[in-house]
Amino acid sequence: MDNVESAIQTRRTAKKQSTAMEAELLKLGNTIVTKFHVLMRISQIYDSKNTALEQFVQESLQTINQWIKMQGVLSILVDNELFLNGERLRYSVEGFTSFKYLLTHWRKKRIGEVVVKSLVDETTLKEFIYGLMSLEDGRENNAELLSELLVNRGITSIEVNPLEVLEGEEDTITYYLVDQQKVAQRVFFETIGTMKEVITNIKGKQYADVRKLKRLAQKAVHLIVEDESIMLGMATIKNYDEYTFNHSVNVAIYALAIGKRLGFSRKIMTELGITALLHDIGKSKIPREVLTKAGPLDEGEWGMMKKHPLLGVEIALNLKQLGEINPRMVIGIFDHHLNNDLSGYPKLFRKKELGLFGRIIQIADSYDAMTTAKIYKKNPYTPEQSLAIMLRERVIHFDPLLLKILIGVVGIYPIGSLVLLDTHELGIIYKPNPDPKWMDRPRVILVEWHEKKDVKKELVDLTETDSPNHFKRTITKTLDPNKYHIDIAKYFLPS
Ligand SMILES: [Fe+2]
Ligand SMILES: [Fe+2]
């Protein structure tokens, strides 16, 4: 009897211990997934040498190595679910976003399994993360490329295996990419339409539905957080006839891409998006002749124009759904032409500190205005020229740090730039290279230009090599699309 009882007792203790162990592993597994999620995200903001990364990398290493010490190996497998060392990971409520992120992004990159075979150090982890994020979505041999990269760097502790795609499932991955573009396009044009409605209603002193704008801003925030290059591509559509509506949507896109890099929460991003959409709402009270005048404005007209930030504040405060508009947003509208040294307008009686929203919007606003054709300026500046001018004027006009961020957003070769390659081909910058090391090697649409007509040829990756150590194509200089009569925007609209 005694023996039986003690046997049961031992078994109970053993069971308790194993449940405790399971719980610990489960917690650790969830933490690992969160760490990978954050590492992937911050690697898109900072380059691998940035000190801001240090602490987080250290914490991540600790978690990963703790697992390795307990289990000997860490395998993360992506299927329809996540598996850690062969066990399906039950995610915690807090872990859900990370779980989803890893699942979606690894699938998109066609990475099926990552096996960490022994303890890892800082360099290994960074090489892996930056290598992973530099992989182009949907490319079939990504796992092979990443493995090769790791081996080249002398890393043998991490193994990467491709995603196993079952027959019939093939389409869902490419589908996802096309889908994102379609969704982005819908949100973009719906927002332009809604801006039109809001402005018409304000002019006619009718009820303007700001909640609809909020819903669209939320969608835009989501799209920009997921993959900003699609939305940034949309912002190259500079519709000359509907400047006001189009402009405000473009400003919102640039502002949100800056906000993302500043680490804003989705809630603050949404507020920033709405503020950017409404920044010029005051112009709805300015006579059309003044707004669309082809020549320079006379003193009286200019005086009227300068009133638009204040008029905007008035309108924003009068909007019915006050719950949707808070002081931060109103101040953003007020500040957007004040300039970094407060030399702009409206004239202030007392010095004040510029709000962050206003500073961001001013930069987004100037960049979009400079790159767009207007009635009085048929040939706008190229993205590159605009950035150069803004850099020159930074002390007076712009917050230098935010300007630097904008340059990071649009890249050294901003999306939509026309470039000449060393192969004498013409190309349009389509998507920046996510690896900061390869900033000068984005993805480019090759364009055939013949008798003043341009036709899309193919999408190429400038990191492609034709022999070891030799790139197939390299950018030699940027060109002015106006001189070639190339309509850049059409390349960003899905056919
Ligand atoms: Fe303005
Ligand atoms: Fe503006």
Side-chain angles (χ1 to χ4, degrees), residues 235-249:
T236 57
I237 307 169
K238 316 272 185 187
N239 192 335
Y240 173 79
D241 299 320
E242 303 204 329
Y243 176 69
T244 324
F245 318 116
N246 218 300
H247 167 68
S248 52
V249 179

Side-chain angles (χ1 to χ4, degrees), residues 243 247 251 279-280 283 308 336-337 365 369:
Y243 176 69
H247 167 68
V251 171
H279 81 279
D280 274 339
K283 286 192 180 167
H308 83 267
H336 85 273
H337 284 292
D365 183 34

Side-chain angles (χ1 to χ4, degrees), residues 319-367:
L319 283 171
K320 290 283 177 288
Q321 313 81 358
L322 274 180
E324 310 292 3
I325 300 215
N326 65 32
R328 197 177 11 237
M329 299 158 84
V330 177
I331 292 168
I333 297 175
F334 181 84
D335 285 352
H336 85 273
H337 284 292
L338 267 180
N339 288 353
N340 198 36
D341 65 353
L342 302 178
S343 63
Y345 57 89
K347 275 276 155 281
L348 299 176
F349 295 110
R350 215 178 328 134
K351 271 208 166 153
K352 74 167 218 111
E353 195 129 331
L354 276 182
L356 188 52
F357 276 17
R359 281 182 282 156
I360 295 174
I361 291 169
Q362 175 158 32
I363 283 182
D365 183 34
S366 305
Y367 180 73

Side-chain angles (χ1 to χ4, degrees), residues 290 297-307 345:
V290 178
L297 300 179
D298 67 32
E299 210 179 308
E301 290 162 338
W302 189 221
M304 227 183 277
M305 199 65 160
K306 281 184 176 172
K307 281 195 184 131
Y345 57 89

Side-chain angles (χ1 to χ4, degrees), residues 209-402:
D209 192 0
V210 187
R211 275 169 315 177
K212 197 166 166 195
L213 270 191
K214 185 184 177 180
R215 276 196 299 276
L216 287 162
Q218 280 167 333
K219 283 186 192 164
V221 167
H222 179 75
L223 286 163
I224 284 170
V225 169
E226 282 286 307
D227 182 356
E228 64 180 23
S229 56
I230 300 176
M231 280 307 244
L232 284 169
M234 293 273 148
T236 57
I237 307 169
K238 316 272 185 187
N239 192 335
Y240 173 79
D241 299 320
E242 303 204 329
Y243 176 69
T244 324
F245 318 116
N246 218 300
H247 167 68
S248 52
V249 179
N250 293 347
V251 171
I253 293 174
Y254 295 126
L256 287 178
I258 296 174
K260 174 178 156 185
R261 281 165 179 71
L262 292 171
F264 285 0
S265 67
R266 281 182 190 237
K267 183 173 169 276
I268 303 284
M269 289 266 278
T270 307
E271 285 180 19
L272 175 64
I274 301 170
T275 316
L277 286 172
L278 296 178
H279 81 279
D280 274 339
I281 196 90
K283 286 192 180 167
S284 57
K285 298 272 182 208
I286 295 175
R288 208 184 152 78
E289 312 82 75
V290 178
L291 289 176
T292 56
K293 191 175 171 186
L297 300 179
D298 67 32
E299 210 179 308
E301 290 162 338
W302 189 221
M304 227 183 277
M305 199 65 160
K306 281 184 176 172
K307 281 195 184 131
H308 83 267
L310 208 56
L311 288 170
V313 166
E314 213 175 278
I315 293 168
L317 290 173
N318 275 327
L319 283 171
K320 290 283 177 288
Q321 313 81 358
L322 274 180
E324 310 292 3
I325 300 215
N326 65 32
R328 197 177 11 237
M329 299 158 84
V330 177
I331 292 168
I333 297 175
F334 181 84
D335 285 352
H336 85 273
H337 284 292
L338 267 180
N339 288 353
N340 198 36
D341 65 353
L342 302 178
S343 63
Y345 57 89
K347 275 276 155 281
L348 299 176
F349 295 110
R350 215 178 328 134
K351 271 208 166 153
K352 74 167 218 111
E353 195 129 331
L354 276 182
L356 188 52
F357 276 17
R359 281 182 282 156
I360 295 174
I361 291 169
Q362 175 158 32
I363 283 182
D365 183 34
S366 305
Y367 180 73
D368 185 63
M370 280 177 158
T371 48
T372 310
K374 317 254 174 45
I375 298 173
Y376 50 87
K377 195 172 186 316
K378 283 256 157 47
N379 288 339
Y381 292 114
T382 63
E384 208 190 11
Q385 288 166 339
S386 308
L387 291 179
I389 295 170
M390 288 173 82
L391 271 170
R392 233 172 19 237
E393 293 178 352
R394 67 182 176 279
V395 184
I396 306 168
H397 285 104
F398 311 108
D399 179 323
L401 185 75
L402 293 177

